[in-house]
Amino acid sequence: MGTWALLLPLLVAAAQAQVCSVNKTFFEVKENTSPGLHLLDIYVPEGQQVTLGPSSTRFAFRIQGTQLFLNVTPDYEENSRLQAVLDCKRDDTVVTQLRVFVSVLDANDNPPRFPFVVKVQRVPEDTKVKAAVIPETELKAQDLDRNDILFYTLQEVTPGASGFFSLVGANRPELRLDRSLDFDRWPNMTFQLLVRDTREENVEPSHTATATLVLEVQPADLRPPWFLPCTYSDGFVCIHAQYHRAVPTGHTLSGPLILHPGPIYAVDGDRGINQPIVYSIIRGNEDGLFSIDANTGNLTVTKSIPSPKTFFLLVKAEQADHTRYSVTQVTVEARAAGGSPPRFPQSLYRGTVALGSGVGVAIRDAAAPSQPLRIRAQDPEFPDLNSAITYRITNNSDFRMDGEAVLTGTSPVHAGVFYAEVEANNTVTSGTATTVVEVRVSEQEPTPTGTPTSSETAGTTRDLSGTTHNSEAAGLLKAWGAPQCGNQPLPPISFTQRELSDQTLERHHVGSPPAP
Ligand SMILES: *[C@@H]1O[C@H](CO)[C@@H](O)[C@H](O)[C@H]1NC(C)=O
Ligand SMILES: *[C@@H]1O[C@H](CO)[C@@H](O)[C@H](O)[C@H]1NC(C)=O
Ligand SMILES: *[C@@H]1O[C@H](CO)[C@@H](O)[C@H](O)[C@H]1NC(C)=O
Ligand SMILES: *[C@@H]1O[C@H](CO)[C@@H](O)[C@H](O)[C@H]1NC(C)=O
Ligand SMILES: *[C@@H]1O[C@H](CO)[C@@H](O)[C@H](O)[C@H]1NC(C)=O
């Protein structure tokens, strides 16, 4: 036994001399090192040859003489562990087999990639704040470098959108809602999602990728109908308009009441849904005196109100789908018609007509010859009575009134300037007022294009008249406290021109006088 122990190293040494050997069997090589790396020298005894065994990693190695070389550019992602099997043969008999391992070290050599270029996600407007909008699994980028840690950033493309959404963490690309959505103002929000495979931006190597996120807000029924014009609105709430008007007692009024600050009009607060509105009176309709048009909201007084009284009507505007409704107050004050006479805004109206133009031809407005001249008085107290005003010419049979228009009574045969008195008669209150119309009969047809004609070369005529008209309109609007669009009064606050539909504008009366 003792003898064997002493002999063993000698025997091994003797045997070694007869077999192949290497002094290193494990290597670490960085990926992407260029091919042809010399790994080691193989000791091959006399009379033997060394070859790569069939279970070596294919194509990875090469033996030249007794030297082992790496034959490829190692790629960690493709194969991180390479094996060379060295067969040492005498003639065709394998005497020894050695294994050499190469471990490929990872390098950051792959960029991250998103599984999409543009991702469009619909988000219901009523999504709760802090809720996950897109799960992490759908937004994660892939990186072939298994050891890379990915860092994500969300960059707004739609200005202001970053207030609404954020990522849960720099390494967790779950999209979360931070603030209540508002379809009306922010229907779509676009972001750039950026991923980097390093924490810092300016290290080498570092790779990035970007993708686009589009969040389409789907309107939800969040808001009730709004009575316009809202006296305050921030897009979520509206302080509803309340409407009022004075009417004369003892008279049956034809047509819908002209209310201040405008007709009863409600819209679905959710513009994206825009349900039709149904109107009704839910309280205060004593003796069925009032009637509201369910579709238009037009309010009419069905019979004459015998004595002075103030009516407080509660008017409801309900979405046609019955989901939501609002209620506002309409105040109608019946007052004795005091008999205050109608008023002409101007003391002189200027018109023009061509010589020989015939009978029953409309006098044109000297300030705007393309339009007929209109003479209109107003009841200072009850605008609803404006329709009850009739007009006639008192002292000149060459002209006559047709409603608010002035027509020729005879064919004009003399050029010149003629005057006539126009009387307005409020047939309800019997109040009257007069004004004067000046008609210039000229040789030429008045030109609607605005090229000065003989009738207009007096110059100031046109300007004066125009100015009077405009300053009157401006004064009216000022009294309303309302911004102006053309000569359409707009609701005073909260609704920009864009937000007001054309329909709304059309429904607001032109030239209604200021509230009493
Ligand atoms: C390995 O063997 C080679 C010769 O084959 C020699 O040059 C080298 O120094 C040896 N390395 C070690 C670590 O023994
Ligand atoms: C929102 O985006 C969609 C397409 O993504 C587009 O069709 C729509 O017009 C956009 N809406 C607005 C208000 O930009
Ligand atoms: C409702 O009233 C408006 C004016 O306030 C008028 O233009 C419209 O024609 C009326 N509609 C109906 C159905 O009477
Ligand atoms: C009619 O009355 C007006 C105003 O009093 C006057 O200016 C005008 O000259 C009169 N016209 C005629 C034809 O009497
Ligand atoms: C005004 O109209 C009323 C009702 O038609 C009539 O009775 C009255 O005589 C008229 N007044 C004048 C001054 O024409």
Side-chain angles (χ1 to χ4, degrees):
M1 173 79 178
T3 319
W4 275 112
L6 284 171
L7 277 174
L8 196 61
L10 289 174
L11 286 172
V12 169
Q16 253 177 358
Q18 302 308 310
V19 298
C20 290
S21 71
V22 290
N23 57 6
K24 197 174 170 194
T25 55
F26 183 79
F27 294 86
E28 284 187 335
V29 177
K30 274 195 187 161
E31 71 171 316
N32 302 329
T33 50
S34 40
L37 180 75
H38 174 219
L39 288 173
L40 49 72
D41 291 344
I42 309 160
Y43 170 73
V44 185
E46 287 260 345
Q48 294 187 23
Q49 309 85 39
V50 64
T51 54
L52 279 174
S55 52
S56 304
T57 309
R58 274 163 66 82
F59 310 122
F61 299 96
R62 167 166 64 90
I63 288 177
Q64 205 170 331
T66 58
Q67 294 184 313
L68 180 67
F69 293 91
L70 203 55
N71 199 35
V72 290
T73 301
D75 182 354
Y76 177 83
E77 286 74 35
E78 190 187 301
N79 198 345
S80 64
R81 209 167 153 81
L82 311 175
Q83 168 182 262
V85 178
L86 309 177
D87 287 343
C88 282
K89 297 180 186 167
R90 176 176 288 118
D91 301 327
D92 282 339
T93 317
V94 174
V95 182
T96 43
Q97 199 170 57
L98 300 170
R99 284 167 196 273
V100 175
F101 298 98
V102 173
S103 172
V104 180
L105 299 178
D106 191 19
N108 181 5
D109 60 340
N110 288 288
R113 280 186 215 289
F114 282 109
F116 54 88
V117 177
V118 178
K119 188 177 193 67
V120 179
Q121 180 84 14
R122 295 178 166 190
V123 192
E125 191 181 11
D126 56 357
T127 302
K128 290 211 161 46
V129 169
K130 290 199 160 61
V133 173
I134 308 180
E136 184 174 349
T137 48
E138 284 183 35
L139 292 184
K140 254 172 126 160
Q142 302 301 324
D143 193 321
L144 291 173
D145 296 323
R146 265 165 279 164
N147 298 322
D148 280 6
I149 297 171
L150 301 182
F151 293 83
Y152 298 86
T153 32
L154 191 65
Q155 299 164 337
E156 68 175 27
V157 174
T158 307
S162 61
F164 288 92
F165 297 96
S166 64
L167 299 176
V168 166
N171 308 117
R172 284 194 55 201
E174 173 185 301
L175 193 73
R176 194 175 54 180
L177 184 66
D178 292 333
R179 192 185 137 184
S180 300
L181 294 168
D182 180 353
F183 172 82
D184 293 342
R185 286 199 217 165
W186 307 88
N188 277 357
M189 283 175 258
T190 304
F191 290 91
Q192 200 78 17
L193 183 60
L194 183 133
V195 63
R196 186 182 305 283
D197 60 7
T198 55
R199 180 187 296 272
E200 307 297 337
E201 199 171 323
N202 44 11
V203 295
E204 272 294 333
S206 175
H207 309 92
T208 60
T210 56
T212 301
L213 283 184
V214 178
L215 299 153
E216 288 186 5
V217 179
Q218 304 294 295
D221 194 349
L222 302 174
R223 305 160 181 89
W226 291 351
F227 283 101
L228 300 186
C230 301
T231 53
Y232 168 82
S233 181
D234 61 1
F236 286 101
V237 298
C238 163
I239 297 182
H240 299 284
Q242 297 197 345
Y243 307 92
H244 53 89
R245 177 51 73 208
V247 297
T249 53
H251 298 292
T252 309
L253 299 165
S254 59
L257 284 185
I258 298 166
L259 295 163
H260 179 83
I264 297 172
Y265 182 52
V267 292
D268 188 343
D270 300 296
R271 300 304 175 91
I273 297 177
N274 206 18
Q275 272 283 312
I277 303 296
V278 178
Y279 302 90
S280 57
I281 302 173
I282 58 170
R283 195 189 294 171
N285 192 5
E286 295 172 32
D287 304 328
L289 265 178
F290 298 93
S291 141
I292 196 163
D293 185 301
N295 299 317
T296 64
N298 280 352
L299 184 69
T300 42
V301 187
T302 56
K303 44 196 163 192
S304 100
I305 303 170
S307 51
K309 179 161 189 178
T310 300
F311 299 87
F312 299 99
L313 306 176
L314 288 189
V315 170
K316 173 169 156 181
E318 184 169 26
Q319 292 178 199
D321 63 4
H322 304 297
T323 314
R324 289 171 190 276
Y325 68 90
S326 295
V327 169
T328 193
Q329 180 167 282
V330 179
T331 309
V332 178
E333 187 195 347
R335 286 205 303 250
S340 40
R343 269 208 305 254
F344 283 104
Q346 292 172 235
S347 57
L348 180 67
Y349 291 81
R350 289 185 165 93
T352 168
V353 70
L355 197 60
S357 55
V359 180
V361 171
I363 307 299
R364 323 295 299 175
D365 189 336
S370 62
Q371 285 164 13
L373 179 64
R374 292 207 161 269
I375 296 180
R376 182 182 297 156
Q378 287 164 350
D379 187 286
E381 233 184 321
F382 304 111
D384 296 305
L385 291 180
N386 288 351
S387 58
I389 296 174
T390 59
Y391 302 89
R392 69 185 186 99
I393 286 181
T394 58
N395 67 349
N396 193 334
S397 59
D398 289 336
F399 305 102
R400 63 182 176 89
M401 296 300 291
D402 178 22
E404 298 169 353
V406 187
L407 307 182
T408 52
T410 57
S411 186
V413 288
H414 301 293
V417 178
F418 303 91
Y419 292 88
E421 184 186 70
V422 179
E423 182 193 73
N425 177 6
N426 185 329
T427 54
V428 171
T429 63
S430 286
T432 60
T434 59
T435 189
V436 175
V437 59
E438 173 199 277
V439 180
R440 185 176 293 267
V441 177
S442 57
E443 309 259 350
Q444 278 170 283
E445 199 49 50
T447 47
T449 49
T451 338
T453 61
S454 59
S455 68
E456 282 181 301
T457 39
T460 47
T461 308
R462 181 181 184 169
D463 292 337
L464 254 179
S465 162
T467 313
T468 317
H469 180 78
N470 286 341
S471 63
E472 184 221 340
L476 224 109
L477 287 160
K478 206 171 163 191
W480 273 43
Q484 189 182 351
C485 173
N487 59 354
Q488 304 264 21
L490 283 178
I493 322 178
S494 355
F495 280 92
T496 64
Q497 284 182 33
R498 184 187 65 79
E499 285 170 317
L500 267 171
S501 66
D502 289 346
Q503 196 193 357
T504 321
L505 288 174
E506 278 163 19
R507 294 209 31 168
H508 280 267
H509 299 295
V510 186
S512 293

